[in-house]
Each structure stands twice: as C-alpha cells, then as structure tokens.
Amino acid sequence: MKFVHISDTHLGYHQYGLQERAEDFYDVFDEAVDFAIEKKVDFVIHTGDFFHSSRPSNQVILQGISILQKLKDAGIPIFVISGNHDRGSQVRDVSPLKILEPSGLKLIDNGVIEYDGIFFAGLKYISKAGLKQIGGSLRPIFEKYLENMGNGFKILMLHQEFQPFFPSSNLYLKNEIPEGFDYVGIGHYHIPQMPAVINGATVVQPGSTEFTAYNEKEEEAGKGFYYVEVDGKEVKPQFIKLNRRRPFLYYRFSEENIEELIKQIKEDIEKLGGGKKPVIVFKGVLKELTYKDIYKYLSAEGISEEEGSILHLHFNLTREVAEEEGFSVIETSTEKINQELKRLIGDDELFESVVETLNFLRTFDNIDEIKKYLKENPDAIDI
C-alpha cells in the first residue's frame, strides 16, 4: 500500500494581496497531486486547511474542483479533514469542503469510515474554547474511534495544536494518542517534522506546502509532503520537496552594509536563472533610512516590482528609537495584548477568531495592501 499525505495547502491565499501568490498555492498543491498520480498511490490524505478561508471565492472553489478532478480521473480517492481556516463557523455554517464532496473529496470531520479494508478516522480542528467544553482532552474521542475500527490499517487524521510545537497548548501527543493506530497524520504546524513512533503509531507532520508567513526555520526544513509506503506493519514515510515553489530570498538588513547587500541580492537573483520572480524579505533595524529610501537604492540597481526583477519586497523591520530625557520606553508583549483583548471580548470562541484574523492581517505590508485585498475578497475575513 502507498499513499500521499498533504497538509495546509491554504488554497486561495492572496499573500501580500497578490494574485500571483494565490496561483503559487495552487501550483504546489497541483504538483503534489501530480506526484500522487505518477506514483499510482492507493489514496491521498489531507490533514486540514485545504482552503485558506472558510468562504473561498468561486474561482478558488473551481481550483479545488480542478485538483480533485485529476485525482478522480486517476481513480485515486482523497480523504480530508477541516482545519481552523476552512472548518466554517460551528454555529452559522458548515465547512466549504462540503461543496467539494460531489467532486470526490471524502470529508471526515468526526468519525470513522472504511475504504478497501483501511480505516480512516478524522477530527476537524477544535479551538481552545471547544477543548474546554469537552474536558481538555481528545483521547476519549480517539478511543471511541478505535472501538469502531475493525482489523486493518488504521489512520488517524488531525489538525490540532500539540506541545512542543504550540507552547500555549496543553495537549501532548504521548498522552492524547492511544495505542491501536498505525498512522497518525497531523496538520496545522507549518514546519515539517521527522516522523516519530508514538504509542505504536507512526506520527507524521508534513507542514504546509507554501509560506503563509516566511521564516528561516521553514526555509531550512523545506516545503513539501510525505509519500508513504506500507509493507505489512512497516510504515516508511519519505518527505518529498516541492519544486514549483516561488523562491524567497531572505536577508538580514542593516543600514551600514546596504550597498554590499544590494550587490548580493543582484547576484542571488541572477543565480535563480529565470522562472518565478522571487519575493525579497528584509529583517532588521532601521535607524536613519525610510522604506522609501530603501526602494530608491534597490530601484537604482533595477531591483523592483516595476522593473519586473522581483515579485514583491517584504519588510520585517523595526525602527530604532533613541531614548531621550523626559520620555520612557514602554514594553509590552503579544501575550499581554492578547490577555487584554480576551478580557474585552469575553467570548472565547470569538476571541480565537479575532486573533486568527489579526494574524492574517499582519502578513500584509501596509494598510493599502489590506484595503486592496478586502476589496477583491470581501468575504475573506469571516469572524
């Protein structure tokens, strides 16, 4: 038996408000599906965040149908659970993945199904508020799943926050996963992990197929999915890196070495040798220069969106502020801000939705990009 495990494809994400980035998310998802077809796998599993939004546009739904049609034509079923992005409101709506069921997608948000002697158990994302309502543990749910599984290979599909990947979580895989499963596929954490054996199950986290927010750890680990071969009870997962990704070029920025840095950027762009235009990411500190100054330096060397040498320039810079007499610097943290925000909102479920929305908006460079995106995708932010 062989199958492909994909996760966190975030189909439809217009990162930086760009249509090109939305197409990038489609391209790598399509590449993973092409691999599955080429290998003639028995099935595909997807562990959540198929879509980036619980209200995908018509165009994005058509992209999903296109991907599923390729699998359907090849006779390959796909089993999917809803992640936090595409699960839909627990009260007002259902997961948009329901729309894709006629195209061959088999949604398993709670329960067990059997296919060709293989048992698939799925559980959609449960928020922290939802976890409190069920006693803070998922183990009783999983034990119930095992009771409904016969003799055969047993797969558990999750999209959840576990320690140590999410430090604020109280869930530990060793405590939550009972013995009896053969394979546990987990989504939500975007950095792929080496497979581990926990309570007799091979636990696999493939990470996301594209960057929703760039960081160095994700670049080092790579973006991809897992190809899994099963021989009896031996499970052999292999991480497959995606090739159709758009390149991200990351630089530590300082004003003192800006000319040297620009020279390095030019060389790195030339080394790419064509293909998709890169996204340039700067991280560092600004002292005297402004963003406008940096654009001028780059444009003078032909490095700009307008020149067509790059797709986008993303700044992750902080302004160095000198402490002056009569002024004091007040430091705070995201944790403290979230605590106050939670107190003001009151409702735990609404608070989780607001934080998710704020994190999404932080991926844009400025207010103009946010306005542009919301104008083109009025239903994208669903609280």
Side-chain angles (χ1 to χ4, degrees), residues 65 152 212 271 274 294:
I65 291 172
T212 56
K271 287 177 185 176
I294 299 172

Side-chain angles (χ1 to χ4, degrees), residues 59-76:
Q59 175 61 34
V60 174
I61 291 171
L62 286 172
Q63 286 183 329
I65 291 172
S66 172
I67 282 173
L68 294 175
Q69 189 62 51
K70 292 176 75 169
L71 288 170
K72 194 173 184 180
D73 291 345
I76 300 172

